[in-house]
mmCIF file of all heavy atoms in Angstrom:
data_model
loop_
_atom_site.group_PDB
_atom_site.id
_atom_site.type_symbol
_atom_site.label_atom_id
_atom_site.label_comp_id
_atom_site.label_asym_id
_atom_site.label_seq_id
_atom_site.Cartn_x
_atom_site.Cartn_y
_atom_site.Cartn_z
ATOM 1 N N LYS F 1 -38.379 -9.133 -71.566
ATOM 2 C CA LYS F 1 -38.427 -9.481 -72.993
ATOM 3 C C LYS F 1 -38.271 -8.221 -73.850
ATOM 4 O O LYS F 1 -37.550 -8.211 -74.852
ATOM 5 C CB LYS F 1 -39.722 -10.197 -73.332
ATOM 6 C CG LYS F 1 -39.792 -11.609 -72.743
ATOM 7 C CD LYS F 1 -41.172 -12.206 -72.939
ATOM 8 C CE LYS F 1 -41.318 -13.600 -72.408
ATOM 9 N NZ LYS F 1 -40.770 -13.869 -71.112
ATOM 10 N N GLU F 2 -38.958 -7.126 -73.478
ATOM 11 C CA GLU F 2 -38.822 -5.877 -74.213
ATOM 12 C C GLU F 2 -37.375 -5.398 -74.159
ATOM 13 O O GLU F 2 -36.808 -4.998 -75.176
ATOM 14 C CB GLU F 2 -39.720 -4.803 -73.603
ATOM 15 C CG GLU F 2 -41.186 -5.041 -73.775
ATOM 16 C CD GLU F 2 -42.041 -4.047 -72.998
ATOM 17 O OE1 GLU F 2 -41.510 -3.235 -72.210
ATOM 18 O OE2 GLU F 2 -43.261 -4.081 -73.204
ATOM 19 N N LEU F 3 -36.788 -5.451 -72.975
ATOM 20 C CA LEU F 3 -35.408 -5.003 -72.805
ATOM 21 C C LEU F 3 -34.451 -5.814 -73.661
ATOM 22 O O LEU F 3 -33.564 -5.272 -74.302
ATOM 23 C CB LEU F 3 -35.008 -5.073 -71.333
ATOM 24 C CG LEU F 3 -33.577 -4.677 -70.999
ATOM 25 C CD1 LEU F 3 -33.279 -3.257 -71.474
ATOM 26 C CD2 LEU F 3 -33.310 -4.816 -69.521
ATOM 27 N N SER F 4 -34.629 -7.127 -73.704
ATOM 28 C CA SER F 4 -33.770 -7.984 -74.536
ATOM 29 C C SER F 4 -33.818 -7.566 -75.999
ATOM 30 O O SER F 4 -32.796 -7.486 -76.668
ATOM 31 C CB SER F 4 -34.180 -9.450 -74.384
ATOM 32 O OG SER F 4 -33.924 -9.893 -73.079
ATOM 33 N N ALA F 5 -35.019 -7.297 -76.484
ATOM 34 C CA ALA F 5 -35.167 -6.861 -77.879
ATOM 35 C C ALA F 5 -34.501 -5.517 -78.111
ATOM 36 O O ALA F 5 -33.835 -5.303 -79.126
ATOM 37 C CB ALA F 5 -36.651 -6.806 -78.260
ATOM 38 N N LEU F 6 -34.668 -4.598 -77.183
ATOM 39 C CA LEU F 6 -34.084 -3.255 -77.333
ATOM 40 C C LEU F 6 -32.554 -3.292 -77.236
ATOM 41 O O LEU F 6 -31.867 -2.564 -77.948
ATOM 42 C CB LEU F 6 -34.658 -2.309 -76.286
ATOM 43 C CG LEU F 6 -36.130 -1.961 -76.459
ATOM 44 C CD1 LEU F 6 -36.663 -1.259 -75.233
ATOM 45 C CD2 LEU F 6 -36.339 -1.121 -77.716
ATOM 46 N N LEU F 7 -32.023 -4.147 -76.379
ATOM 47 C CA LEU F 7 -30.573 -4.244 -76.231
ATOM 48 C C LEU F 7 -29.914 -4.795 -77.496
ATOM 49 O O LEU F 7 -28.745 -4.518 -77.759
ATOM 50 C CB LEU F 7 -30.202 -5.130 -75.039
ATOM 51 C CG LEU F 7 -30.312 -4.492 -73.670
ATOM 52 C CD1 LEU F 7 -30.204 -5.531 -72.579
ATOM 53 C CD2 LEU F 7 -29.265 -3.394 -73.491
ATOM 54 N N ALA F 8 -30.654 -5.550 -78.278
ATOM 55 C CA ALA F 8 -30.115 -6.131 -79.502
ATOM 56 C C ALA F 8 -29.862 -5.082 -80.580
ATOM 57 O O ALA F 8 -29.117 -5.342 -81.531
ATOM 58 C CB ALA F 8 -31.072 -7.197 -80.029
ATOM 59 N N ARG F 9 -30.443 -3.906 -80.433
ATOM 60 C CA ARG F 9 -30.262 -2.838 -81.418
ATOM 61 C C ARG F 9 -29.663 -1.619 -80.735
ATOM 62 O O ARG F 9 -29.802 -1.418 -79.537
ATOM 63 C CB ARG F 9 -31.621 -2.470 -82.050
ATOM 64 C CG ARG F 9 -32.230 -3.646 -82.771
ATOM 65 C CD ARG F 9 -33.456 -3.242 -83.526
ATOM 66 N NE ARG F 9 -34.597 -3.107 -82.607
ATOM 67 C CZ ARG F 9 -35.811 -2.827 -83.003
ATOM 68 N NH1 ARG F 9 -36.070 -2.643 -84.275
ATOM 69 N NH2 ARG F 9 -36.799 -2.734 -82.137
ATOM 70 N N ASP F 10 -29.022 -0.784 -81.528
ATOM 71 C CA ASP F 10 -28.370 0.401 -80.985
ATOM 72 C C ASP F 10 -29.357 1.572 -80.980
ATOM 73 O O ASP F 10 -29.143 2.593 -81.618
ATOM 74 C CB ASP F 10 -27.143 0.760 -81.805
ATOM 75 C CG ASP F 10 -26.145 1.602 -81.028
ATOM 76 O OD1 ASP F 10 -26.371 1.839 -79.823
ATOM 77 O OD2 ASP F 10 -25.156 2.030 -81.632
ATOM 78 N N GLN F 11 -30.478 1.361 -80.296
ATOM 79 C CA GLN F 11 -31.508 2.403 -80.267
ATOM 80 C C GLN F 11 -32.172 2.430 -78.895
ATOM 81 O O GLN F 11 -33.377 2.565 -78.791
ATOM 82 C CB GLN F 11 -32.516 2.193 -81.383
ATOM 83 C CG GLN F 11 -33.256 0.886 -81.313
ATOM 84 C CD GLN F 11 -34.161 0.671 -82.492
ATOM 85 O OE1 GLN F 11 -33.781 -0.032 -83.405
ATOM 86 N NE2 GLN F 11 -35.321 1.268 -82.501
ATOM 87 N N LEU F 12 -31.362 2.335 -77.857
ATOM 88 C CA LEU F 12 -31.892 2.214 -76.514
ATOM 89 C C LEU F 12 -31.339 3.311 -75.610
ATOM 90 O O LEU F 12 -30.124 3.533 -75.553
ATOM 91 C CB LEU F 12 -31.509 0.842 -75.933
ATOM 92 C CG LEU F 12 -31.877 0.585 -74.479
ATOM 93 C CD1 LEU F 12 -33.383 0.623 -74.286
ATOM 94 C CD2 LEU F 12 -31.325 -0.755 -74.060
ATOM 95 N N VAL F 13 -32.235 3.992 -74.911
ATOM 96 C CA VAL F 13 -31.843 5.049 -73.973
ATOM 97 C C VAL F 13 -32.493 4.733 -72.626
ATOM 98 O O VAL F 13 -33.715 4.778 -72.507
ATOM 99 C CB VAL F 13 -32.290 6.445 -74.452
ATOM 100 C CG1 VAL F 13 -31.890 7.513 -73.437
ATOM 101 C CG2 VAL F 13 -31.737 6.749 -75.827
ATOM 102 N N PRO F 14 -31.694 4.419 -71.604
ATOM 103 C CA PRO F 14 -32.276 4.251 -70.270
ATOM 104 C C PRO F 14 -32.570 5.605 -69.621
ATOM 105 O O PRO F 14 -31.787 6.545 -69.760
ATOM 106 C CB PRO F 14 -31.201 3.484 -69.493
ATOM 107 C CG PRO F 14 -29.939 3.691 -70.238
ATOM 108 C CD PRO F 14 -30.278 4.063 -71.645
ATOM 109 N N ILE F 15 -33.704 5.672 -68.932
ATOM 110 C CA ILE F 15 -34.060 6.850 -68.150
ATOM 111 C C ILE F 15 -34.144 6.362 -66.696
ATOM 112 O O ILE F 15 -35.047 5.600 -66.351
ATOM 113 C CB ILE F 15 -35.431 7.422 -68.570
ATOM 114 C CG1 ILE F 15 -35.513 7.639 -70.085
ATOM 115 C CG2 ILE F 15 -35.765 8.694 -67.786
ATOM 116 C CD1 ILE F 15 -34.511 8.580 -70.660
ATOM 117 N N VAL F 16 -33.199 6.775 -65.873
ATOM 118 C CA VAL F 16 -33.156 6.339 -64.479
ATOM 119 C C VAL F 16 -33.997 7.293 -63.635
ATOM 120 O O VAL F 16 -33.815 8.512 -63.698
ATOM 121 C CB VAL F 16 -31.688 6.295 -63.989
ATOM 122 C CG1 VAL F 16 -31.627 5.928 -62.520
ATOM 123 C CG2 VAL F 16 -30.897 5.272 -64.827
ATOM 124 N N HIS F 17 -34.933 6.714 -62.871
ATOM 125 C CA HIS F 17 -35.885 7.514 -62.092
ATOM 126 C C HIS F 17 -36.065 6.864 -60.706
ATOM 127 O O HIS F 17 -36.452 5.697 -60.630
ATOM 128 C CB HIS F 17 -37.213 7.590 -62.826
ATOM 129 C CG HIS F 17 -38.269 8.355 -62.110
ATOM 130 N ND1 HIS F 17 -38.258 9.723 -61.989
ATOM 131 C CD2 HIS F 17 -39.391 7.934 -61.476
ATOM 132 C CE1 HIS F 17 -39.318 10.110 -61.308
ATOM 133 N NE2 HIS F 17 -40.021 9.041 -60.980
ATOM 134 N N ASP F 18 -35.793 7.609 -59.665
ATOM 135 C CA ASP F 18 -35.948 7.114 -58.283
ATOM 136 C C ASP F 18 -35.094 5.915 -57.949
ATOM 137 O O ASP F 18 -35.432 5.113 -57.081
ATOM 138 C CB ASP F 18 -37.415 6.818 -57.949
ATOM 139 C CG ASP F 18 -38.260 8.077 -57.815
ATOM 140 O OD1 ASP F 18 -37.681 9.172 -57.636
ATOM 141 O OD2 ASP F 18 -39.488 7.975 -57.908
ATOM 142 N N THR F 19 -33.999 5.736 -58.689
ATOM 143 C CA THR F 19 -33.022 4.689 -58.402
ATOM 144 C C THR F 19 -31.673 5.168 -58.944
ATOM 145 O O THR F 19 -31.547 6.332 -59.318
ATOM 146 C CB THR F 19 -33.467 3.329 -59.000
ATOM 147 O OG1 THR F 19 -32.606 2.302 -58.518
ATOM 148 C CG2 THR F 19 -33.482 3.332 -60.514
ATOM 149 N N THR F 20 -30.688 4.310 -58.990
ATOM 150 C CA THR F 20 -29.348 4.710 -59.443
ATOM 151 C C THR F 20 -28.827 3.750 -60.496
ATOM 152 O O THR F 20 -29.323 2.616 -60.627
ATOM 153 C CB THR F 20 -28.358 4.722 -58.265
ATOM 154 O OG1 THR F 20 -28.172 3.368 -57.810
ATOM 155 C CG2 THR F 20 -28.835 5.610 -57.133
ATOM 156 N N TYR F 21 -27.799 4.196 -61.206
ATOM 157 C CA TYR F 21 -27.141 3.313 -62.159
ATOM 158 C C TYR F 21 -26.475 2.138 -61.445
ATOM 159 O O TYR F 21 -26.427 1.028 -61.976
ATOM 160 C CB TYR F 21 -26.119 4.082 -63.015
ATOM 161 C CG TYR F 21 -26.739 4.634 -64.272
ATOM 162 C CD1 TYR F 21 -27.229 5.935 -64.315
ATOM 163 C CD2 TYR F 21 -26.866 3.863 -65.416
ATOM 164 C CE1 TYR F 21 -27.824 6.426 -65.457
ATOM 165 C CE2 TYR F 21 -27.440 4.355 -66.566
ATOM 166 C CZ TYR F 21 -27.923 5.647 -66.578
ATOM 167 O OH TYR F 21 -28.509 6.132 -67.713
ATOM 168 N N ASP F 22 -25.974 2.353 -60.230
ATOM 169 C CA ASP F 22 -25.402 1.240 -59.465
ATOM 170 C C ASP F 22 -26.435 0.159 -59.213
ATOM 171 O O ASP F 22 -26.157 -1.028 -59.379
ATOM 172 C CB ASP F 22 -24.806 1.743 -58.145
ATOM 173 C CG ASP F 22 -23.532 2.559 -58.328
ATOM 174 O OD1 ASP F 22 -22.860 2.390 -59.385
ATOM 175 O OD2 ASP F 22 -23.219 3.352 -57.435
ATOM 176 N N ASP F 23 -27.644 0.568 -58.818
ATOM 177 C CA ASP F 23 -28.719 -0.406 -58.589
ATOM 178 C C ASP F 23 -29.064 -1.122 -59.898
ATOM 179 O O ASP F 23 -29.307 -2.338 -59.919
ATOM 180 C CB ASP F 23 -29.981 0.284 -58.060
ATOM 181 C CG ASP F 23 -29.792 0.807 -56.635
ATOM 182 O OD1 ASP F 23 -28.890 0.331 -55.917
ATOM 183 O OD2 ASP F 23 -30.568 1.715 -56.243
ATOM 184 N N LEU F 24 -29.085 -0.385 -60.998
ATOM 185 C CA LEU F 24 -29.380 -0.973 -62.311
ATOM 186 C C LEU F 24 -28.328 -2.011 -62.694
ATOM 187 O O LEU F 24 -28.663 -3.102 -63.162
ATOM 188 C CB LEU F 24 -29.479 0.130 -63.372
ATOM 189 C CG LEU F 24 -29.634 -0.323 -64.815
ATOM 190 C CD1 LEU F 24 -30.860 -1.218 -64.986
ATOM 191 C CD2 LEU F 24 -29.689 0.883 -65.735
ATOM 192 N N ARG F 25 -27.056 -1.677 -62.501
ATOM 193 C CA ARG F 25 -25.975 -2.606 -62.877
ATOM 194 C C ARG F 25 -26.030 -3.907 -62.069
ATOM 195 O O ARG F 25 -25.589 -4.945 -62.551
ATOM 196 C CB ARG F 25 -24.616 -1.930 -62.727
ATOM 197 C CG ARG F 25 -24.318 -0.976 -63.882
ATOM 198 C CD ARG F 25 -22.900 -0.447 -63.838
ATOM 199 N NE ARG F 25 -22.748 0.645 -62.903
ATOM 200 C CZ ARG F 25 -23.028 1.918 -63.157
ATOM 201 N NH1 ARG F 25 -23.468 2.265 -64.343
ATOM 202 N NH2 ARG F 25 -22.861 2.847 -62.244
ATOM 203 N N GLU F 26 -26.615 -3.853 -60.882
ATOM 204 C CA GLU F 26 -26.777 -5.066 -60.073
ATOM 205 C C GLU F 26 -27.776 -6.053 -60.723
ATOM 206 O O GLU F 26 -27.673 -7.259 -60.541
ATOM 207 C CB GLU F 26 -27.243 -4.732 -58.664
ATOM 208 C CG GLU F 26 -26.223 -4.025 -57.826
ATOM 209 C CD GLU F 26 -25.032 -4.915 -57.488
ATOM 210 O OE1 GLU F 26 -25.245 -6.098 -57.169
ATOM 211 O OE2 GLU F 26 -23.890 -4.408 -57.558
ATOM 212 N N VAL F 27 -28.742 -5.509 -61.465
ATOM 213 C CA VAL F 27 -29.795 -6.327 -62.072
ATOM 214 C C VAL F 27 -29.524 -6.579 -63.549
ATOM 215 O O VAL F 27 -29.764 -7.666 -64.063
ATOM 216 C CB VAL F 27 -31.176 -5.635 -61.889
ATOM 217 C CG1 VAL F 27 -32.270 -6.399 -62.605
ATOM 218 C CG2 VAL F 27 -31.492 -5.497 -60.410
ATOM 219 N N SER F 28 -29.017 -5.558 -64.252
ATOM 220 C CA SER F 28 -28.768 -5.662 -65.681
ATOM 221 C C SER F 28 -27.483 -4.923 -66.056
ATOM 222 O O SER F 28 -27.515 -3.738 -66.392
ATOM 223 C CB SER F 28 -29.948 -5.082 -66.471
ATOM 224 O OG SER F 28 -29.660 -5.114 -67.863
ATOM 225 N N PRO F 29 -26.349 -5.625 -66.004
ATOM 226 C CA PRO F 29 -25.079 -4.974 -66.368
ATOM 227 C C PRO F 29 -25.090 -4.424 -67.781
ATOM 228 O O PRO F 29 -24.495 -3.373 -68.033
ATOM 229 C CB PRO F 29 -24.043 -6.084 -66.203
ATOM 230 C CG PRO F 29 -24.657 -7.062 -65.255
ATOM 231 C CD PRO F 29 -26.131 -6.986 -65.511
#
């Protein structure tokens, strides 16, 4: 729910830690 709200605005910075962007794209493109 937090992510949905943040994605709606242009003020979101992902910080990838102990995983990869490839893994992230599998769950949230």
Side-chain angles (χ1 to χ4, degrees):
K1 290 172 179 44
E2 292 173 353
L3 178 58
S4 294
L6 292 169
L7 282 168
R9 299 187 282 184
D10 202 5
Q11 61 185 99
L12 175 63
V13 179
I15 309 300
V16 176
H17 179 73
D18 288 342
T19 190
T20 66
Y21 270 94
D22 288 337
D23 292 339
L24 174 57
R25 282 188 279 277
E26 291 293 318
V27 175
S28 177

